[in-house]
């Protein structure tokens, strides 16, 4: 398979959706006049106005960044504080999606809040506190039906609780996510929702606490200005409760994990937080799986036509170059055919541990299962996967699996 053809195909598959237009760069101000009337203006409020620049709960300001000149907020006593978000409960969200937000619960200490919510300017939670990191894996996916704004185009998950003092740089924080969840994961950033203050993404988050979030244009991180963590060079990271001296060697970096090890950890975390439940009969599980795979096959057929049209439109007039381009088009068609065959071959071979979790007000059955399929090389594969099932009347349906599609799309490599 020509690497350039494969790269073009996988670029289309990874993109998923055309990038949204650039958001307005204007700044919106919210304030009250002397009579108590609320105003929304694009110019700063007059002197003496009440509650200037307060983002409505759940609404991102029109700027894609946090306001650069917020009104004065209370400065934390120890100044070593980081930015946190929480979960927002929205019963109208589709299954397997979560809303993470500055305005989520539980609320932060009001002494360190900005307008009653998170504080991206000074941080809102002591860096000595142990909280999970909110991690994000961007994948360019289109928003599911029912999500109209704030879609981040990816997945979220959380790590084990970590002291903010261990987050000595953005790179260090990203390493915590990639170590815990695998390649492609990083710490979630304040503007990941193509706006600010919060976003919606695929994921399953089971926690009653807030979680650490990064902001890239304000000092409200544990490694931000004025924070003890900021005085430590990113090249000499510290670990919680481990004092260092200028001559002490840097502690070893956490070991890298394979994608399969990261998936295993994710499955274990999900099931550890779930209530034990009996697994589905394999017949019902397979019927539910075939429905979602059929939708993925249909999506592949659409993308195949897009790639085919792009390649066909670029066929040059030179006979030799035209023959090469037609060969690429043929290779593309063959690869897509193998992808569809791989997806259609997938079967649930075994469901081991299962548990129920609450997602958007619905009870979802999460199971650790083995999926058998034939990859694009024609070789049998046995894949461990986390499957989500939901009952609708007498039928079971399932959301997209975490690994099946990626395994089915793996390129073939010549065997030695």
């Amino acid at each position: 398979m020509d690497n350039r053809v494969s790269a073009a195909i996988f670029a289309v598959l990874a993109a998923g959706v055309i990038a949204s237009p650039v958001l307005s760069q204007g700044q919106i101000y919210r304030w009250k006049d002397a009579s108590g009337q609320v105003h929304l203006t694009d110019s700063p409020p007059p002197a003496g106005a009440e509650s200037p620049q307060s983002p409505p709960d759940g609404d991102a300001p029109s700027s894609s960044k946090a306001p650069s000149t917020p009104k004065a907020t209370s400065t934390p006593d120890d100044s070593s504080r980081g930015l946190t978000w929480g979960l927002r409960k929205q019963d109208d969200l589709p299954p397997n999606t979560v809303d993470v937000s500055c305005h989520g619960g539980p609320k932060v200490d009001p002494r360190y809040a900005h307008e009653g919510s998170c504080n991206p300017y000074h941080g809102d939670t002591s860096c000595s506190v142990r909280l999970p990191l909110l991690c994000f894996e961007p994948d360019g996916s289109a928003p599911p039906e029912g999500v109209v704004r704030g879609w981040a185009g990816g997945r979220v998950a959380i790590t084990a609780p970590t002291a903010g003092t261990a987050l000595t740089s953005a790179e260090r924080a990203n390493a915590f996510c990639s170590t815990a969840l695998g390649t492609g994961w990083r710490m979630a950033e304040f503007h990941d929702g193509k706006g600010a203050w919060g976003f919606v993404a695929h994921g399953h988050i089971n926690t009653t606490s807030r979680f650490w979030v990064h902001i890239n244009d304000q000092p409200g991180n544990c490694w931000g200005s004025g924070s003890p963590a900021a005085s430590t060079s990113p090249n000499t990271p510290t670990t919680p409760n481990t004092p260092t001296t200028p001559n002490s060697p840097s502690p070893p970096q956490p070991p890298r994990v394979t994608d399969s090890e990261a998936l295993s950890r994710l499955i274990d975390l999900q099931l550890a937080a779930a209530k034990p439940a009996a697994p589905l009969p394999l017949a019902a599980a397979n019927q539910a799986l075939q429905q979602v795979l059929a939708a993925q096959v249909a999506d592949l057929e659409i993308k195949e036509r897009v790639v085919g049209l792009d390649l066909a439109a670029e066929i040059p007039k030179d006979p030799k170059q035209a023959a090469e381009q037609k060969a690429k088009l043929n290779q593309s068609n063959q690869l897509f055919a193998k992808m569809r065959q791989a997806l259609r071959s997938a079967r649930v071979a075994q469901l081991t541990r299962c548990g129920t979790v609450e997602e958007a007000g619905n009870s979802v059955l999460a199971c650790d299962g083995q999926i058998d399929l034939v990859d694009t090389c024609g070789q049998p594969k046995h894949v461990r996967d986390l499957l989500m099932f939901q009952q609708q009347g007498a039928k079971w349906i399932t959301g997209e699996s975490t690994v099946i599609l990626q395994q089915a799309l793996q390129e073939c490599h010549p065997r030695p």
Side-chain angles (χ1 to χ4, degrees):
M1 173 63 64
D2 189 307
N3 289 335
R4 290 171 296 178
V5 176
S6 301
I9 293 172
F10 284 101
V12 171
L13 294 175
V17 63
I18 298 175
S20 59
V22 177
L23 296 174
S24 166
Q25 297 301 309
Q27 182 168 313
I28 301 299
Y29 296 83
R30 179 177 181 270
W31 51 278
K32 291 182 181 180
D33 59 22
S35 63
Q37 183 176 357
V38 176
H39 298 265
L40 292 174
T41 63
D42 57 3
S43 59
E50 181 182 350
S51 299
Q53 194 54 37
S54 171
D57 186 53
D59 291 341
S62 62
S63 169
S64 62
K65 294 185 176 182
S68 57
T69 55
K71 81 164 194 176
T73 57
S74 57
T75 302
D77 296 337
D78 56 8
S79 76
S80 178
R81 294 184 177 268
L83 173 65
T84 65
W85 281 4
L87 278 175
R88 296 187 71 201
K89 291 197 67 174
Q90 289 200 359
D91 296 335
D92 56 346
L93 279 178
N96 307 327
T97 58
V98 291
D99 186 344
V100 290
S101 171
C102 170
H103 314 296
K107 296 297 184 182
V108 300
D109 187 329
R111 294 176 298 170
Y112 309 124
H114 171 68
E115 298 293 349
S117 290
C118 73
N119 192 330
Y121 312 106
H122 300 291
D124 48 66
T125 301
S126 172
C127 294
S128 63
V129 173
R130 299 178 65 87
L131 293 175
L133 276 71
L134 180 66
C135 300
F136 179 60
E137 183 191 37
D139 59 15
S141 58
E145 184 176 357
V147 177
V148 295
R149 65 176 181 173
W151 177 248
R155 296 187 295 163
V156 290
I158 56 174
T159 67
T162 302
T165 50
L167 308 178
T168 55
S169 68
E171 293 75 19
R172 177 73 166 169
N174 290 340
F176 273 96
C177 287
S178 60
T179 299
L181 298 168
T183 304
W185 287 87
R186 60 168 173 78
M187 190 176 187
E189 202 275 325
F190 189 83
H191 307 93
D192 275 331
K194 313 301 186 291
W197 304 103
F199 61 79
V200 179
H202 289 302
H204 309 279
I205 295 180
N206 295 301
T207 181
T208 57
S209 74
R210 294 179 71 85
F211 25 77
W212 300 116
V213 174
H214 167 214
I215 183 166
N216 61 16
D217 61 353
Q218 297 292 334
N221 305 296
C222 282
W223 61 87
S225 59
S227 159
S231 63
T232 306
S233 167
N235 297 323
T236 56
T238 60
T239 53
N241 306 320
T242 305
T244 60
T245 62
N247 297 323
S248 62
S250 301
Q253 294 292 325
R256 296 184 65 85
V257 296
T258 65
D259 288 344
S260 61
E261 290 172 334
L263 175 67
S264 294
R265 293 183 185 180
L266 179 61
I267 293 173
D268 291 338
L269 285 172
Q270 291 289 342
L271 293 179
K275 298 178 181 178
L280 274 181
L282 289 184
N286 270 301
Q287 185 177 12
L289 179 65
Q290 297 315 307
Q291 290 176 346
V292 70
L293 293 184
Q296 292 176 351
V297 168
D299 189 47
L300 273 180
E301 290 173 344
I302 295 173
K303 291 171 181 174
E304 179 181 8
R305 288 195 291 271
V306 172
V307 173
L309 288 172
D310 287 344
L311 291 175
E314 297 175 359
I315 294 180
K317 295 181 179 179
D318 180 84
K320 182 178 179 180
Q321 293 179 344
E324 292 176 350
Q325 189 71 356
K326 289 178 180 178
K328 292 178 183 178
L329 180 58
N330 184 51
Q331 290 174 338
S332 167
N333 292 337
Q334 290 179 359
L335 179 56
F336 272 109
K338 289 181 178 179
M339 292 176 184
R340 293 195 302 272
Q341 182 181 11
L343 289 177
R344 289 177 176 134
S345 71
R347 297 290 184 274
V348 181
Q350 185 179 10
L351 293 178
T352 53
R353 296 175 299 159
C354 292
T356 55
V357 294
E358 291 297 319
E359 291 293 335
N362 298 313
S363 181
V364 177
L365 182 67
C367 293
D368 179 0
Q370 178 181 311
I371 309 300
D372 290 349
L373 69 152
V374 176
D375 68 9
T376 53
C377 298
Q379 301 296 320
K381 291 284 184 181
H382 310 287
V383 180
R384 186 186 181 198
D385 207 353
L386 181 66
L387 297 175
M388 296 290 178
F389 301 96
Q390 185 175 350
Q391 194 165 19
Q392 289 190 350
K395 294 180 62 177
W396 286 88
I397 61 173
T398 183
E400 288 191 9
S401 60
T402 55
V403 165
I404 291 174
L405 184 59
Q406 292 85 346
Q407 290 287 337
L409 301 188
Q410 276 189 338
E411 275 195 278
C412 299
H413 298 284
R415 302 185 185 280

